[in-house]
C-alpha cells in the first residue's frame, strides 16, 4: 500500500540553526499538507499545497518558516532560525479527491520529531 | 468557528472491556467527521470516517455514528485489546476551498492485560 514518506524521522538542533524536513506524498495526490503537532495536542495545519501552489499558509509563521513544492510532487518545510518553541512533531499528509463523490481523505506520514536545544 | 472537543484522557481499561471516547463538534454546514489513531512515535492513521448525518463509520471493530442532532461522533469498541493502546483523535473536515482538518486534542487509551 502506498504511503507518505518523510525524512528525517528525528532531528535535534540548536536554537538559531536552520532545519529542513522533506515529504514525498502518495503518488498522484495533488494536495499536500504540513501540520505541526505539539506534544499532548492535536495537529494544526501550517500550510496546504494544491499541486505546486500554496492554497493556505495563514497559520505559517512566515518570519522563520518556509515551504515549497516546486514540481508539485515532493515538498520541503524549512525553519530558520529554529527556536525552542518549535520543538514538535511535523506531519505531512496528502490527499486525493474522489471524482465520483467529491470525498477527500488525508493520509499521514510518520512525521519528523524535532527537538530544539 | 469550527472546533472539536474530545473527552480528556487517559482512559484506562482492562482487556475485553467496552470502550467509548466522546467527541462533539461545532461547525457551520455539514462537515465530514473522522477518527485517527496515533501509536507511540508514529504518525496518524485513519481509523474511520463518516461524511453525512446518520452514517456509521467502522473499521477493526471500532464504530462511530455521525449524529447531527447532538453534533457528536463518539468512538466505540465492544472489546478492546492491549494492541489498541494509542492516542485517538477526532477531526472534522469542513470542506470549502481548503478542506482543512481540525483536530481535537486527542484521548490516550491504555489497555491493560
Amino acid at each position: 500500500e502506498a504511503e507518505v514518506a518523510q525524512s528525517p524521522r528525528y532531528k535535534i538542533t540548536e536554537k538559531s540553526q536552520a532545519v529542513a524536513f522533506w515529504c514525498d506524498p502518495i503518488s498522484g495526490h495533488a494536495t499536500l499538507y504540513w501540520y505541526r503537532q505539539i506534544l499532548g495536542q492535536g495537529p494544526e495545519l501550517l500550510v496546504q499545497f494544491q499541486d505546486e501552489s500554496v492554497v493556505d499558509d495563514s497559520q505559517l509563521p512566515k518570519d522563520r518558516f518556509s515551504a515549497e513544492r516546486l514540481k508539485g510532487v515532493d515538498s520541503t518545510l524549512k525553519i530558520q532560525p529554529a527556536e525552542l518553541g518549535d520543538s514538535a512533531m511535523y506531519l505531512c499528509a496528502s490527499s486525493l479527491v474522489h471524482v465520483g463523490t467529491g470525498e477527500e481523505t488525508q493520509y499521514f506520514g510518520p512525521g519528523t520529531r524535532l527537538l530544539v536545544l | 468557528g469550527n472546533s472539536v472537543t474530545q473527552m480528556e484522557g487517559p482512559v484506562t481499561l482492562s482487556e475485553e472491556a467496552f470502550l467509548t471516547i466522546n467527541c462533539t463538534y461545532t461547525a457551520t454546514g455539514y462537515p465530514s467527521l473522522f477518527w485517527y489513531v496515533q501509536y507511540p512515535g508514529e504518525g496518524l492513521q485513519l481509523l474511520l470516517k463518516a461524511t453525512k448525518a446518520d452514517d456509521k463509520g467502522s473499521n477493526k471493530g471500532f464504530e462511530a455514528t455521525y449524529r447531527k442532532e447532538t453534533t457528536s461522533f463518539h468512538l466505540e469498541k465492544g472489546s478492546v485489546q492491549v494492541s489498541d493502546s494509542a492516542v485517538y483523535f477526532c477531526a472534522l473536515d469542513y470542506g470549502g476551498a481548503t478542506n482543512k482538518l481540525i483536530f481535537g486534542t486527542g484521548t490516550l487509551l491504555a489497555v491493560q492485560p
Side-chain angles (χ1 to χ4, degrees):
Chain A
E1 183 175 315
E3 296 179 343
V4 176
Q6 288 188 248
S7 67
R9 293 293 306 275
Y10 305 92
K11 179 70 178 178
I12 300 175
T13 191
E14 294 183 345
K15 63 180 181 180
S16 80
Q17 295 299 303
V19 293
F21 315 130
W22 177 78
C23 171
D24 191 12
I26 294 172
S27 178
H29 282 197
T31 310
L32 184 147
Y33 306 81
W34 283 102
Y35 289 86
R36 177 170 59 187
Q37 184 182 17
I38 296 170
L39 190 64
Q41 299 182 20
E44 294 182 326
L45 181 70
L46 290 174
V47 61
Q48 177 187 354
F49 289 92
Q50 182 69 28
D51 300 310
E52 68 276 8
S53 299
V54 173
V55 175
D56 185 350
D57 64 357
S58 58
Q59 300 302 310
L60 188 71
K62 299 182 189 62
D63 57 334
R64 298 185 299 107
F65 285 66
S66 63
E68 60 183 16
R69 193 183 183 198
L70 292 176
K71 297 182 180 179
V73 181
D74 58 336
S75 175
T76 302
L77 178 69
K78 297 179 181 178
I79 308 175
Q80 182 173 18
E83 296 180 352
L84 297 178
D86 296 331
S87 295
M89 174 83 90
Y90 290 83
L91 295 166
C92 179
S94 69
S95 70
L96 187 66
V97 177
H98 190 281
V99 174
T101 64
E103 291 179 16
E104 178 192 10
T105 299
Q106 295 185 28
Y107 296 90
F108 285 78
T112 296
R113 185 168 295 281
L114 173 67
L115 177 62
V116 182
L117 301 176
Chain B
N2 301 301
S3 65
V4 175
T5 302
Q6 286 183 240
M7 65 185 288
E8 291 190 14
V11 174
T12 303
L13 295 173
S14 297
E15 210 164 19
E16 299 183 3
F18 184 88
L19 168 71
T20 300
I21 300 178
N22 290 338
C23 171
T24 57
Y25 67 90
T26 301
T28 55
Y30 303 98
S32 295
L33 300 173
F34 303 82
W35 277 100
Y36 281 84
V37 58
Q38 186 174 35
Y39 298 100
E42 299 185 11
L44 277 71
Q45 300 177 25
L46 178 65
L47 182 59
L48 53 84
K49 67 177 184 180
T51 58
K52 60 182 186 295
D54 300 325
D55 268 2
K56 176 186 284 189
S58 62
N59 185 27
K60 299 180 181 179
F62 291 89
E63 293 183 341
T65 301
Y66 190 140
R67 301 286 188 198
K68 184 171 179 292
E69 63 277 11
T70 55
T71 62
S72 65
F73 193 54
H74 304 322
L75 182 68
E76 296 181 336
K77 187 176 185 182
S79 176
V80 294
Q81 305 300 313
V82 172
S83 57
D84 294 327
S85 298
V87 180
Y88 292 81
F89 291 93
C90 184
L92 70 82
D93 167 0
Y94 59 85
T98 60
N99 285 324
K100 274 194 296 196
L101 282 177
I102 294 177
F103 288 88
T105 54
T107 302
L108 173 63
L109 170 65
V111 180
Q112 299 175 338

